[in-house]
């Protein structure tokens, strides 16, 4: 098969699976739906790695194939195309690899659910939308994939639609992303206004010509490229859950755990990072927007890391770690190290999917318990899950030895980002230095909350007590349909049955092999992905690997300078991570119970972090209540009282009242009618006499 036919198969295989399972799932049954969707995803993953190997070692050159016309209106020309370059080759591997492993894992995790065809159809639809996004050759197809992953996320987050919290979370994700997507659409309009085209291949060569184009507004000259990039970045903020538009991401945990892994590791949240790197030819000519990207990314990395310190839901801790790591990727792109941002996106996919699916294995083994305060001592009962999650923890904390240049996947990518921020700070100062300082502080916080999760879950005193009959005291899974569980955001059993365990052993248990095999494969990626590909992504061979897919301006030598950072900069991430590990070990192992005691005090700092900086409350008090007030004002005041009151309702009411009063005159007595006639004649005569006079 030619590379063109390979990549076409990769893109459309998940769509075929989604159509088969979604439209015919009830007829063909659960097993056939799972087999078709999973088999096509495995095929797509194998072909994606084939393309990636040809790109990396076989000298495959970039190409674009046009499949069919999409939208053609005047100068607005969009064709459904498939683009292959360094960026799309990387994203194909990331998306299909994680998605196929999530499909396989879901065979075990969703075994008791009675809506498997619908679930697997949604997963495949999600994958197709993301593949359409990363292979787009113009803004229109990019927008199609952008909205496609938003739709699929809405369907998957609210998959258990009988849970009110799941419905609320899916609506929240949809609404918050509409805010970002509005900015994204305005950015596309600005690009079309400037260049007269939405084709990437036509836009990028023209950017230097239009770099100074703009207009005067409010006494200032606004550069159009800066404005376009800023608006496009608003879309990235929503899709990738950056500061201010991040509130939907933790609530997305209401979906099944495989959904969390797919959203956080490979699809929706990485779309914003990919888009900024794809548009590097534009962002390199938008210096003010790059500073905004750097600032927002750094603040997001700090914010999410601090909130992760105080969360008790195992999935929410990992969710906030995703938000923080996305902040790293964005400020890397903001300082000009787009290659480092994509490298961290690549490695992050492996260890973040590993952590989420590992958390799902813990939840499965703990009978759908998610609160880490009710765990402890699980390493004996879930040995494989314990080992792979420890590997994931070492990877996300960036453990490695700088002098040997040897470590886990996160060591290579995250340290490159930190060194790039330092290099940019030396060259440009300002916000880049701020990002460097924040990145080190956030690295220490990452180590603390990651090891806190590991210690609370797998070590210490077991918090799940048993009586002689094997029943579980204080277990939140005793009634999976209970309102208490809905309030605590625990996942229900997919089939809606309770788990009282009559005649069953309630001790934690390891997951089936259908769930463990994906974890083991992801663990290999979390260990080796950085070491194997560091030279290709950010090392000496990065120019040969990217082959123009990422553009660096003439004065952008950040990546080269990052490799020559001082020794203390190279060792600083390991030092702060060691401090974070030491504090977590002291609080949760040596002085077990100290963390719970500190939380029980509910001090102002703990309350601030536990309530996520009160963003939900702030948005509720401002935007939500304001929107509701305006809605009530226009509905009850404008529509009901003014429009309906003076319009149809008012006219009908007046007609009714006049009709009732006029109806009283119709008494049926002849002398009444004669009297009225006499009055009329008298009135007419009186008028005639007055007029003649």
């Amino acid at each position: 098969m030619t590379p063109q036919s390979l990549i076409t198969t990769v893109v459309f295989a998940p769509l075929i699976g989604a159509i088969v399972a979604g439209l015919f799932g009830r007829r063909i049954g659960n097993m056939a739906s799972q087999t078709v969707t999973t088999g096509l995803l495995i095929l797509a993953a194998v072909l994606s790695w084939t393309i990636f190997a040809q790109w990396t070692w076989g000298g495959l050159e970039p190409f674009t194939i046009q499949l069919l016309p999409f939208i053609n209106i005047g100068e607005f020309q969009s064709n459904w195309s498939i683009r292959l370059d360094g960026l799309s080759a990387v994203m194909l591997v990331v998306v299909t690899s994680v998605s196929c492993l999530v499909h396989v894992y879901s065979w075990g995790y969703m075994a008791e659910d009675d809506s498997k065809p619908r679930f697997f159809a949604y997963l495949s639809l999600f994958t197709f939308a993301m593949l359409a996004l990363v292979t787009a050759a113009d803004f229109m197809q990019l927008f199609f994939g952008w909205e496609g992953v938003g739709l699929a996320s809405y369907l998957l987050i609210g998959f258990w639609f009988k849970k009110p919290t799941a419905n609320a979370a899916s609506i929240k994700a949809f609404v918050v992303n509409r805010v970002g997507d509005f900015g994204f659409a305005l950015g596309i309009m600005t690009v079309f206004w400037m260049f007269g085209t939405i084709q990437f291949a036509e836009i990028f060569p023209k950017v230097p010509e239009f770099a100074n184009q703009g207009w005067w507004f409010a006494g200032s000259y606004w550069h159009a490229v800066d404005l376009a990039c800023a608006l496009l970045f608003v879309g990235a903020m929503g899709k990738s859950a950056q500061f201010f538009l991040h509130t939907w991401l933790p609530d997305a945990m209401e979906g099944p755990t495989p959904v969390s892994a797919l959203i956080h590791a490979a699809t929706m949240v990485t779309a914003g990072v990919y888009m900024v790197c794809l548009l590097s030819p534009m962002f390199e000519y938008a210096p003010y927007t790059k500073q905004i990207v750097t600032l927002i990314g750094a603040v997001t990395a700090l914010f999410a890391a601090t909130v992760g310190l105080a969360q008790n839901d195992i999935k929410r801790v990992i969710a906030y770690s995703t938000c923080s790591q996305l902040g790293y990727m964005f400020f890397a792109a903001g300082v000009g190290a787009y290659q480092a941002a994509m490298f961290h996106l690549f490695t992050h996919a492996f260890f973040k999917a590993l952590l989420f699916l590992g958390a799902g294995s813990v939840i499965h083994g703990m009978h759908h318990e998610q609160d880490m305060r009710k765990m402890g001592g699980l390493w004996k009962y879930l040995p494989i899950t314990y080992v792979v999650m420890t590997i994931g923890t070492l990877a996300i904390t960036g453990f490695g030895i700088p002098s040997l240049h040897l470590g886990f996947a996160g060591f290579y990518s995250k340290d490159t980002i930190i060194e790039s921020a330092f290099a940019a700070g030396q060259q440009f100062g300002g916000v880049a230095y701020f990002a460097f300082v924040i990145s080190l502080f956030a690295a220490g916080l990452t180590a603390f909350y990651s090891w806190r999760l590991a210690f609370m879950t797998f070590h210490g005193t077991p918090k799940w007590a048993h009586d002689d009959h094997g029943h579980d005291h204080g277990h939140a899974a005793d009634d999976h349909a209970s309102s208490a569980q809905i309030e605590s955001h625990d996942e229900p059993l997919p089939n809606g049955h309770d788990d009282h365990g009559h005649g069953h052993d309630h001790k934690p248990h390891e997951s089936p092999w259908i769930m463990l095999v994906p974890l083991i494969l992801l663990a290999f990626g979390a260990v080796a992905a950085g070491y194997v590909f560091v030279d290709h992504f950010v090392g000496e061979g990065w120019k040969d690997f990217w082959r123009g897919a990422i553009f660096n301006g003439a004065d952008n030598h950040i990546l080269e300078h990052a490799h020559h950072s001082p020794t203390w900069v190279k060792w600083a991430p390991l030092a702060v991570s060691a401090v974070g590990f030491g504090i977590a070990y002291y609080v949760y192992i040596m002085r077990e119970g100290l963390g719970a005691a500190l939380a029980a005090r509910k001090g102002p700092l703990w309350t601030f972090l536990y309530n996520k900086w009160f963003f939900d409350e702030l948005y509720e008090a401002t935007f939500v209540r304001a929107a509701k007030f305006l809605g009530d004002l226009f509905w009850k005041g404008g529509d009901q009282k003014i429009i309906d009151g003076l319009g149809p309702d008012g006219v009908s009411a007046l007609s009714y009242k006049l009709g009732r009063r006029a109806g009283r005159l119709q008494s049926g007595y002849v002398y009444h009618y004669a009297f009225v006639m006499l009055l009329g004649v008298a009135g007419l005569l009186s008028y005639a006499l007055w007029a003649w006079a």
Side-chain angles (χ1 to χ4, degrees):
M1 295 178 68
T2 63
Q4 290 80 1
S5 59
L6 288 177
I7 194 171
T8 304
T9 304
V10 168
V11 173
F12 288 102
L15 177 61
I16 295 172
I19 292 173
V20 171
L23 299 182
F24 309 105
R26 291 187 177 182
R27 294 186 179 182
I28 63 178
N30 292 339
M31 183 58 67
S33 299
Q34 294 175 225
T35 303
V36 169
T37 52
T38 306
L40 289 172
L41 253 298
I42 294 174
L43 173 64
V46 171
L47 297 182
S48 295
W49 277 102
T50 303
I51 296 170
F52 184 74
Q54 292 178 2
W55 177 269
T56 307
W57 296 288
L60 182 63
E61 292 299 321
F63 63 81
T64 300
I65 52 177
Q66 293 188 1
L67 300 179
L68 70 161
F70 190 20
I71 298 177
N72 297 315
I73 304 174
E75 295 182 353
F76 193 91
Q77 301 291 317
S78 176
N79 298 309
W80 190 277
S81 306
I82 297 179
R83 187 194 85 260
L84 178 70
D85 58 11
L87 286 167
S88 58
V90 170
M91 293 303 296
L92 287 176
V93 167
V94 169
V95 173
T96 58
S97 298
V98 174
S99 184
C100 86
L101 292 176
V102 166
H103 274 71
V104 173
Y105 179 92
S106 299
W107 280 55
Y109 194 85
M110 303 295 289
E112 299 178 12
D113 197 282
D114 55 3
S115 300
K116 285 189 278 292
R118 180 167 61 93
F119 180 76
F120 281 86
Y122 289 169
L123 287 183
S124 293
L125 178 64
F126 203 153
T127 307
F128 164 71
M130 190 66 188
L131 293 174
L133 188 157
V134 300
T135 57
D138 61 41
F139 274 105
M140 197 65 244
Q141 186 178 330
L142 180 70
F143 190 74
F144 171 86
W146 197 269
E147 296 303 310
V149 294
L151 168 65
S153 69
Y154 170 80
L155 296 173
L156 285 168
I157 294 169
F159 178 76
W160 284 322
F161 54 84
K162 294 183 180 179
K163 284 178 63 179
T165 51
N167 286 326
S170 62
I171 293 173
K172 187 176 184 179
F174 193 81
V175 171
V176 173
N177 273 276
R178 295 292 71 73
V179 176
D181 292 351
F182 179 68
F184 188 61
L186 291 177
I188 295 175
M189 296 175 194
T190 306
V191 170
F192 181 69
W193 168 78
M194 289 174 59
F195 299 99
T197 179
I198 58 170
Q199 303 291 327
F200 299 144
E202 298 176 9
I203 292 172
F204 294 161
K206 296 181 181 179
V207 174
E209 303 175 24
F210 291 81
N212 296 319
Q213 182 176 340
W215 58 85
W216 288 93
F217 178 74
S220 300
Y221 188 75
W222 298 76
H223 287 276
V225 176
D226 254 314
L227 177 63
C229 290
L231 291 170
L232 293 168
F233 177 63
V234 172
M237 288 175 62
K239 200 65 67 181
S240 296
Q242 292 301 282
F243 197 65
F244 296 124
L245 296 180
H246 64 275
T247 53
W248 68 269
L249 189 62
D251 289 353
M253 298 303 97
E254 290 294 336
T257 298
V259 173
S260 305
L262 190 60
I263 291 177
H264 286 248
T267 54
M268 188 168 173
V269 297
T270 62
V273 179
Y274 164 80
M275 186 266 289
V276 172
C277 295
L278 172 67
L279 302 182
S280 57
M282 294 178 59
F283 277 84
E284 283 293 272
Y285 289 92
Y288 297 108
T289 301
K290 286 179 66 177
Q291 293 187 40
I292 295 173
V293 174
T294 304
L295 179 63
I296 293 294
V299 172
T300 303
L302 174 65
F303 156 76
T306 58
V307 174
L309 303 176
Q311 303 305 305
N312 298 312
D313 186 308
I314 188 171
K315 289 172 63 177
R316 285 179 178 262
V317 175
I318 303 174
Y320 278 106
S321 78
T322 298
C323 196
S324 181
Q325 298 304 308
L326 289 167
Y328 274 90
M329 300 176 205
F330 273 109
F331 77 69
V335 301
Y338 307 99
Q339 299 86 348
M342 286 300 300
F343 189 30
H344 197 48
L345 186 155
F346 179 75
T347 60
H348 176 265
F350 292 101
F351 57 73
K352 185 50 56 71
L354 173 60
L355 288 171
F356 262 117
L357 296 184
S361 181
V362 171
I363 295 168
H364 182 272
M366 284 293 294
H367 309 284
H368 295 260
E369 176 61 74
Q370 294 181 215
D371 194 333
M372 297 186 299
R373 295 170 297 183
K374 300 177 182 178
M375 299 181 186
L378 295 181
W379 70 273
K380 295 180 180 179
Y381 300 91
L382 290 75
I384 299 177
T385 302
Y386 169 64
V387 170
V388 296
M389 285 200 71
T390 301
I391 291 173
T393 302
L394 290 168
I396 195 173
T397 56
F399 178 75
I401 309 301
S403 59
L404 300 177
H405 203 60
L406 186 65
F408 290 80
F411 161 73
Y412 298 94
S413 57
K414 188 162 74 172
D415 283 24
T416 302
I417 290 176
I418 295 173
E419 293 163 12
S420 298
F422 177 80
Q426 284 193 314
Q427 185 172 350
F428 304 112
V431 70
Y433 265 134
F434 172 75
F436 169 69
V437 174
I438 291 299
S439 66
L440 287 179
F441 186 53
L445 298 179
T446 301
F448 177 83
Y449 69 66
S450 297
W451 287 110
R452 171 180 177 265
L453 182 150
F455 294 149
M456 290 181 68
T457 303
F458 295 104
H459 294 276
T461 305
K463 310 302 188 300
W464 37 274
H466 302 276
D467 61 21
D468 294 337
H469 300 287
H471 290 93
D472 191 3
H473 295 294
H475 202 287
D478 280 347
D479 185 0
H480 292 279
S482 67
S483 60
Q485 186 228 32
I486 290 176
E487 289 296 323
S488 65
H489 306 290
D490 292 336
E491 292 189 4
L493 279 174
N495 61 3
H497 296 164
D498 61 24
D499 189 22
H500 293 292
H502 299 298
H504 299 284
D505 187 4
H506 263 274
K507 289 184 179 180
H509 57 83
E510 187 61 276
S511 299
W513 279 106
I514 194 70
M515 295 171 62
L516 295 178
V517 170
L519 293 177
I520 295 171
L521 294 176
L522 289 168
F524 280 108
V527 171
Y531 177 79
V532 173
F533 295 106
V534 61
D535 287 334
H536 297 288
F537 279 81
V538 296
E540 296 179 357
W542 69 266
K543 292 184 179 180
D544 293 332
F545 179 80
W546 295 111
R547 295 174 213 164
I550 291 177
F551 174 77
N552 291 110
D555 58 345
N556 185 349
H557 305 288
I558 298 301
L559 201 58
E560 289 86 347
H561 294 162
H563 295 312
H564 300 92
S565 299
T567 303
W568 71 269
V569 174
K570 294 181 179 294
W571 282 89
L574 179 62
V576 296
S577 297
V579 172
F581 169 82
I583 297 175
Y585 186 81
Y586 176 79
V587 173
Y588 294 98
I589 299 297
M590 295 180 64
R591 295 284 303 277
E592 186 180 1
L594 178 59
L598 292 174
R601 296 179 181 178
K602 296 185 178 180
L605 180 59
W606 180 89
T607 302
F608 182 67
L609 298 181
Y610 181 76
N611 289 283
K612 302 157 285 189
W613 291 25
F614 291 102
F615 262 98
D616 285 328
E617 290 78 4
L618 176 64
Y619 287 173
E620 174 72 25
T622 53
F623 299 113
V624 176
R625 291 184 182 177
K628 186 177 180 181
F629 171 78
L630 288 175
D632 288 343
L633 177 65
F634 288 118
W635 168 40
K636 296 179 180 178
D639 190 26
Q640 290 185 341
K641 292 184 178 179
I642 297 177
I643 297 176
D644 290 343
L646 298 179
D649 291 346
V651 171
S652 63
L654 180 62
S655 300
Y656 178 72
K657 291 180 180 179
L658 291 176
R660 287 190 63 184
R661 293 181 179 181
R664 294 176 182 174
L665 298 176
Q666 306 298 324
S667 63
Y669 295 107
V670 175
Y671 61 87
H672 284 172
Y673 299 143
F675 178 70
V676 172
M677 292 174 66
L678 289 174
L679 289 177
V681 171
L684 288 173
L685 290 175
S686 299
Y687 175 76
L689 291 173
W690 173 80
W692 291 337

